[in-house]
Structures are given as structure tokens and as C-alpha cells.
Amino acid sequence: MNSRRGVGAAVGFALAMGGLVAGPVAVAAPPGPGITVLPDLPEPGFAQFDPGKSNVVPATKAAATDVQSAAPRTLAEGATAAGTYSCPGFSTVDDATTVAMLQSDLFAWGPYAAYKVGNGSGNINWRLNPYNNPSWYMWFHSLRWLGQGIMAAGKGNTTAMVRVSAITKDWVADNPYSWKANIGADEATKHRANVLICLRQAVLSGLAVTQLPAQYSWIDTALVNHAAFLTAYWSGAWNHGTDESIALFGVGCTLNRSAYKTTAQNRLAAGITTSIDAQGATNEQSTAYAQFNYALWGRAAAVLQQCGADPGTTITSRRALLAKWLSLATNSLGKLHQLGDSEVVATAPIAGTPLEYAGSRGVNGVAPPSRIGVYSAGYVFGRTGWGQTRSFAQESTYSIRYGPARAVHGHSDHTGTTYTSRGRDILITGGHAGYQNDAWRTWAKGQFAANAMTTPLAAETYPVTKLVRSGVYPTSEFYEFADVPGAGISRKRAVLVLKDPDLLVTLDSGSSTKAHQFQTLWHLPSDQKATVYSRTAAIGMKAGDTSRTILFQIPFRQVLPRGAILLKQAQTNPIQGWHYPTIFRRNSAPTLLFARSGYSASILSVVAPVHATGSVHYKGRWSGTTYIIDMVVGGKKVSFGISAGGAVYRVA
């Protein structure tokens, strides 16, 4: 939490907790240290929508029945009751825009240079988007960038109060209700409503009064308009809808409007059971957004309780399940597997939950009882252990995607896997390129940024992928998936994950009604250099590292053709060989293609992390209808077999 984010309670707000009698005259209160600002949630710091697409996610599960209506209030309907809804903060959007910059109408966010958005007197051009970036534009309209000025105003800085009030009032004047046609203003409504509440609290605190002075009555009018918008347009069962409901409840709490609060409560009750399912997985298909949702629903429960409502137990129980999901989604580096619209994000070590152990990389808390998680929402998470017999970082961890078609913040990554071992990333995804509608976004969320068998000449269909069978054993796990990734194309992937020695085996089988290219892609970390040695083998390694990754394919029911392994890196046409650890940074990264063409493909891949001087040797043999591969991996012997039906299992 930023030290400048206030922890003191604003005078007047605390008094309101005990019941405030409304009257026509502003009542002076002793000076206070400023407004209460809640800690920032782990909210992704960029626009959370695809411009031009519907951002409504319907609630599909039965609503929770234990979110109770707010208790009766002693105040008359419409009388203000500030203090039971705290300013939720500005989510770091304000970090780069100082109070002094606001005096010059400068807005700075992300990697972009500060931009003069007004005439220097608080008259702002709200149609500006100098960097042609949807995130910049949405945060501009959110007014969150006024945060430092609002907090200064709450401490009595009248110059800051005049400026942030002028900018906010200018937005209200230049963007009359309804602003539905302006996507940036539309998407920012929930955030802007909260900023208006924060500004309202700052005016009361900074002027040391308990009622809003008449010259600031426009704030309440704006809040009513924002509540009307939030009532009319609900984004449904995902983080947008949850944020909107919290903001609507906040307006109802601030202005003591029971209708707003009731609507918000009903929507939270409707959203929780779809947003976090009965296994604890979120419907957003993104690990970073899953972590945000854990915090967001905690905020929702607290907000309800602080303004007299009963949040019930469903929110709490679903969050507990999500905490388990997130712990299993944590890799051996203490990061969440980078899935969907996720930057590389550290797991938050939430005390008293499985996340405490996972997020602290085994330093604090208690190790979760499970090392494998299989979720019908489309996730498999696994690990060799939690650091009990070797260090946490030296464990191997993996993720595999399957399940429902791509939605919300998901990518076209079905059957794709990520993998860590020996204290480093082994297999990664293409990452998250942001929300601008360009070729980079298309690639990063598409099939060619995943570690999966692709058919590059077929249009993407975002298939539903089934987990056909699976088995979990002490030193291995097996999974088989099947789907239809394109018209007339069938695809199966069998995955075998081995422990001691740690390695990953996949058998990709594809067939098509017409000739196609089939390419199994392996995306390596950007700090490694990849070298192709033959049709069979390639090696990825960082200079001076203590380990390397040997990737090879074993001929199985198909002769390896010339060009069976291709290396692509930093390619722009078509795009391939990149990684986005954040939306603002794109790194060149090697991608290996195990390639076939024709009406069918059988690609048996082995990914083996070994010591820097380690090697892998193998020999294949038939035992009846089972093909057995005997291997020596880094000096350790292991054998696995492939049954006639395509099951891959450990033999020894």
C-alpha cells in the first residue's frame, strides 16, 4: 500500500456512523487528517474490455439467497450518510499525476509521457486520445488520475480542491447523461462514480463540514446520474458487473438511497455464483483476473457489511474455493501461470489461506494438501510437490487449458500447457498484448501464442475441448483432450507429466478431411537461445545458466519429414516468436515448430529440463501393441508406453 494513501478517518464520516441528523446548515467539525482511502486491489492496470464488442456476461447460475437487504436506517430517504462507504482508492492510475501537474491540466499514465489535456484552468478536451490506446482513454474518463489532488483536497489544500473540482465538473458538463455512445466514458462509469464519492468526501473533510455546501451540489446530481446509468446498464457476472454493483451500492450508501442499494445487492447475489463456480474457478479465463476477483469479492462483502447489509456466506465460501484455485495456479517461481489476459503476476500471499504458502514460496503458512487440481471450467494445474523434499523453486509445475469456448479474458489456448522446472520458466505463452485492436493483440490471444498443435491454414473456431480421460499417480499424471479446432479437423492431445526425472511428454494426433499443415508449437522464455540440431532435437538455453531444455520429437507412426523442426523468433509477418510479460513490453522469444503436412499428423514431443551439461538418450521398442520408449534423462532411467488406444503412461 502506498504510504501516501490515507489511513486516517475523515472527521464527519466517523460521526455519521453514529447517526447524523440532516439540516440545512453546514456544521463545522474539527480538522482531520484527510479522507479514508482503502488499499488498492490487484486490479489489472489497463482497460479491461475489447472495444467494439459486447461486454455483458450473463449470470447463468442460480443466485445466492443469503445476501440480505440492508437494515432499516434512522435517516430520512435521501438524507446524506457519509462515512459508511470509504473511498475505494484510485488503483495506481493517479500515481504519475502529481498535484502540481493537475494545476497544469497534465495527465500521465503507464509508459506514456505526461500530456496536457486542458487549457491550464481545468477546461479539458475529453475527446483526446493522443496515444490511440483504449486503456489511456478509459482511465482518462475514469477521473482516477485526480487521486493525488483529491487526497490533498481532503487535507485542506484548497488549491487542489478547486482544481480537481473544476476538472470533475468540466467532465460532467461536457459529457451529459447518457454517455453510452462513448465506450471509454461508458466503461469508466463505475470508476468515475467512486471518484465522485471520493471527491465528495474530500470536500467535506477539506472544508471541515458535515454537509455538502450548496456550491458543490452538482456532485450529488452527478452521482444520481451515474447511479441511473449503473442501474440501466449492468455488465453481468464478471469483474465489471461486480465493480458496477459495488459503485452503485456506494452511491446508495452515500446518498442513503435504498433502491440503489437493493439493486446492487441483488446483482451481487446473482453474479457471485457464476463469477466463481462451485469448484472455485472464475469464468474470466485469466489467472490475473482470477486474483483480482478474489480481492474484488472481498471488497464487495466488506462494503455490504459496512453499510448495514448482510453479505451472507456464499461470497465467503466461493472466495475460499478461489483461494485454493489460485494456490494451485501458482508456479514454482511464485507467479501465476500466465493464462488469458494476464501479465506476469506474483501470487499474493494472503494470510490464513492456501495463498499464504503459495505466494510466499513456502516461507509462511501451511502447504496445501493437494498438488493437482482439475477444474471443469477448463484448467489442469499440477506440481511435483510443495517444497517438502526439495526447495519450492526446484519443483516442477504445469498448467493445461481445455473446457468451454474462449470467453471474456480467455485466449485460444486449448490443450496448451505452461511448464516450470529447475527454478525457471521452461514453456511460456505469448502473454498479454493489451486491448488495442491490432495484429499483436490478435496474435497474443490466438492459437499461435499457445503451446498446442495448430492448423495454420484453418480459421480459428474457439472450440469446446473435452478432457477425455486422466489418471494421477505418485510419480506421473496423464491427461487426454479432444476437440475440433477447425472445419473438418479433429485433434487429440495426450499429456504425460513425469516426476524424477521431471519432464513433459505430449502426443498430438490430428486428422483432416483435406490436406493441412499441422504444427505443434513450443514457446521458450525470451532469455533463452534456441538451436535446432536435427529433424529430431533442439535445445534452449541461456548463456551461463545452470540448466537447459532439450526438446525433441520421437518418430511415432509417421516418418519425420525434412523441416520437421523449425525455429521462429522476432518474426513479424506472420507474427511469431514473441512474449509479452506486460502489455507495455514485448520481448523476442524463440518458438519451435514441430511440423507436418497432409491429412493426418502424429507428433510425439518430449520437453526435458536438465542440467547445463545434461543429456537425454532414448530408444523405442514394441511390446505387443504398446510402443515403449526407454530413456536416460540427466543420468536417470525412465520408461513410458503408448497403448494402442493412445494412452501414454509411465512404465518404470
Side-chain angles (χ1 to χ4, degrees), residues 510-572:
S511 63
S512 175
T513 55
K514 62 181 182 179
H516 260 289
Q517 295 179 17
F518 297 91
Q519 297 174 350
T520 292
L521 307 181
W522 299 114
H523 295 268
L524 305 184
S526 61
D527 64 343
Q528 288 189 330
K529 177 183 178 181
T531 304
V532 176
Y533 286 91
S534 66
R535 298 184 189 185
T536 303
I539 294 178
M541 184 176 180
K542 176 184 176 182
D545 206 351
T546 58
S547 65
R548 62 178 178 172
T549 303
I550 300 176
L551 302 96
F552 60 100
Q553 51 183 329
I554 299 172
F556 179 66
R557 295 178 175 168
Q558 198 170 48
V559 175
L560 299 187
R562 180 180 299 178
I565 298 183
L566 304 172
L567 172 62
K568 304 294 182 180
Q569 185 162 358
Q571 181 176 291
T572 58

Side-chain angles (χ1 to χ4, degrees), residues 323-348:
K324 178 183 178 182
W325 187 96
L326 286 164
S327 68
L328 289 168
T330 301
N331 65 27
S332 56
L333 310 178
K335 312 287 187 183
L336 295 172
H337 288 284
Q338 192 180 13
L339 303 176
D341 287 340
S342 301
E343 297 182 314
V344 175
V345 175
T347 299

Side-chain angles (χ1 to χ4, degrees), residues 245-267:
S245 298
I246 292 172
L248 180 59
F249 188 87
V251 177
C253 185
T254 299
L255 301 183
N256 197 33
R257 301 290 185 95
S258 60
Y260 299 161
K261 291 181 286 185
T262 299
T263 298
Q265 288 168 211
N266 291 341
R267 288 176 176 177

